[in-house]
Amino acid sequence: MNKLTLHGANPENLYKAFNIAIPEKIIDFSTNTNILAWPENINIDFKSLASRYPDIECLRVRKIISSRENININKILFTNGINEAIFLLARILTGSTAILEPCYSEYKRAFTNSHEIFSLNDINNYNNIILANPNNPTGIYINNLSELIKFYRDKFFIIDEAYIDFLLNDNIKRERLCEFENVIILRSLTKIFHLSGVRIGYIIANESIIERVKKFLPTWNVNSIAQELAEKFLNDSNFYELTRKFYKYNTPEFIKNLRLAGFDVLNSDVHYFLIRVNDDIEALKILLKNGMTARHTRNFAGLDGQYLRAATRFENENKFFIETLKTLSR
């Protein structure tokens, strides 16, 4: 089991771990990135961009976020994906750190002396609190965090909002937590715009935190191609709305059909969710042999391999996934 990949990406690693021949095509339910094809109007000059140095300040994309979120531009810092932001924050934040579990494994890799908590009622003894909202892997969104943050103004709250754009319910209130001096927000552009290969995300925090992080930031940390693509996508509201419409329809259908097939699917506020299984290894092997993969949960505290995480795909692929899982011994 120690050979299993820690993340949903690179499904080929799972095939190698189980010594199963890799098929020509893999239908990947393990990754949570947008599966819709790029719109035709997203065209960039790759050769030109690859041959020149990127903008050190990421100024154009910062201006877009500043305008969209009504945030001072100096409170925004772009990074080489959220992972870079996590490891940079681990260098500047002192004191004890608590991580709300289950969670993304990179938090614990970066904050090596961190502690697991399973409820926000258990934060009293810590200086820094890390949580994903929506959570990964559960997909649950926590409402009304502002009251908690107001009460604990002596603590830093690092809130990973990588999947905030995938919220299915328009009635969910998205709080403006960026207005709190003790909040550090992490956002990803790789998920909603399917830019995982170029790596781009950003931090929203008070200017003091931003300046401290920048001291450890490599020069030209966000490449020109990532910045150009991010700018194109951020200015394309049609693709964003098309994505939301796709997942808002297909995710409830996928979950409903899984439940009709007899599977215990946990509630989720986004496009990915947990499926309870008796034997996650048996389930993964069956999927892999049929050219599919899902995310194991063996390295998520509190889940311990009792679930698979799956993300919504196209209707015919979702049906194939369900039919394949129905062959499990239950």
Side-chain angles (χ1 to χ4, degrees):
M1 287 307 302
N2 58 348
K3 295 181 180 180
L4 289 185
T5 176
L6 290 176
H7 301 294
N10 308 115
E12 298 83 1
N13 292 338
L14 278 177
Y15 278 92
K16 292 177 182 177
F18 288 118
N19 197 28
I20 298 173
I22 301 174
E24 290 185 10
K25 178 183 178 182
I26 302 171
I27 305 174
D28 192 357
F29 288 86
S30 71
T31 181
N32 299 334
T33 55
N34 190 349
I35 64 166
L36 297 188
W38 287 6
E40 293 183 2
N41 62 308
I42 303 293
N43 294 307
I44 65 172
D45 186 343
F46 282 95
K47 184 176 180 180
S48 173
L49 290 165
S51 62
R52 67 172 187 256
Y53 282 101
D55 173 14
I56 294 175
E57 298 293 331
C58 299
L59 189 58
R60 289 184 301 181
V61 281
R62 283 171 62 221
K63 283 182 177 179
I64 295 172
I65 299 301
S66 174
S67 175
R68 177 174 297 186
E69 302 284 347
N70 192 24
I71 299 170
N72 186 315
I73 196 170
N74 294 322
K75 296 179 69 174
I76 303 165
L77 179 67
F78 269 81
T79 57
N80 186 251
I82 282 183
N83 277 4
E84 182 179 60
I86 293 168
F87 279 82
L88 288 168
L89 289 170
R91 297 192 70 173
I92 70 162
L93 295 178
T94 59
S96 57
T97 299
I99 301 175
L100 184 63
E101 299 280 4
C103 73
Y104 182 46
S105 59
E106 292 297 306
Y107 306 143
K108 285 183 281 191
R109 289 189 64 232
F111 290 82
T112 54
N113 293 320
S114 59
H115 303 266
E116 297 176 353
I117 59 171
F118 292 88
S119 169
L120 288 174
N121 294 323
D122 300 326
I123 68 175
N124 286 309
N125 299 322
Y126 303 99
N127 302 103
N128 313 304
I129 316 300
I130 302 177
L131 66 145
N133 202 30
N135 180 269
N136 176 24
T138 68
I140 295 299
Y141 183 77
I142 304 171
N143 288 294
N144 303 318
L145 278 174
S146 58
E147 292 304 313
L148 184 73
I149 292 166
K150 285 179 187 176
F151 187 80
Y152 289 105
R153 290 187 179 274
D154 59 329
K155 303 179 187 298
F156 276 113
F157 289 82
I158 302 96
I159 303 175
D160 185 345
E161 294 186 344
Y163 298 101
I164 195 76
D165 293 311
F166 289 97
L167 286 173
L168 302 174
N169 188 344
D170 289 330
N171 294 322
I172 290 179
K173 180 184 177 184
R174 292 177 56 171
E175 299 176 282
R176 280 188 59 81
L177 301 179
C178 58
E179 296 178 349
F180 292 98
E181 290 292 300
N182 60 327
V183 168
I184 302 168
I185 293 175
L186 307 180
R187 295 262 181 87
S188 171
L189 298 182
T190 66
K191 313 302 183 186
I192 189 68
F193 299 136
H194 205 171
L195 296 174
S196 299
V198 295
R199 316 304 305 147
I200 185 165
Y202 59 96
I203 301 171
I204 300 175
N206 71 64
E207 292 183 37
S208 173
I209 289 291
I210 295 296
E211 289 304 314
R212 288 168 62 192
V213 171
K214 285 170 70 174
K215 290 179 180 179
F216 296 100
L217 197 68
T219 306
W220 304 301
N221 66 309
V222 181
N223 68 75
S224 298
I225 293 172
Q227 292 187 48
E228 185 79 6
L229 285 170
E231 182 181 1
K232 295 275 188 182
F233 275 105
L234 285 167
N235 285 324
D236 188 344
S237 59
N238 290 332
F239 181 71
Y240 180 81
E241 292 304 323
L242 182 65
T243 296
R244 288 186 55 77
K245 183 178 180 181
F246 172 83
Y247 284 110
K248 282 173 68 176
Y249 173 77
N250 285 284
T251 301
E253 284 293 304
F254 190 14
I255 291 174
K256 179 187 74 175
N257 291 328
L258 275 164
R259 287 171 172 165
L260 287 173
F263 291 97
D264 181 8
V265 182
L266 276 61
N267 290 332
S268 173
D269 294 310
V270 289
H271 64 304
Y272 56 85
F273 46 85
L274 295 176
I275 308 166
R276 192 187 302 273
V277 291
N278 289 332
D279 187 337
D280 62 327
I281 297 304
E282 179 195 7
L284 278 174
K285 286 182 177 179
I286 287 174
L287 289 170
L288 291 169
K289 289 175 181 177
N290 284 275
M292 291 175 286
T293 184
R295 176 67 161 89
H296 73 86
T297 57
R298 294 239 164 173
N299 63 317
F300 287 115
L303 299 184
D304 305 320
Q306 299 176 57
Y307 303 85
L308 292 180
R309 190 195 69 194
T312 303
R313 293 190 60 86
F314 298 107
E315 183 178 4
N316 62 321
E317 295 173 332
N318 297 338
K319 287 181 178 178
F320 183 39
F321 180 90
I322 295 171
E323 290 303 311
T324 302
L325 278 191
K326 283 166 69 175
T327 64
L328 282 171
S329 55
R330 287 184 284 166

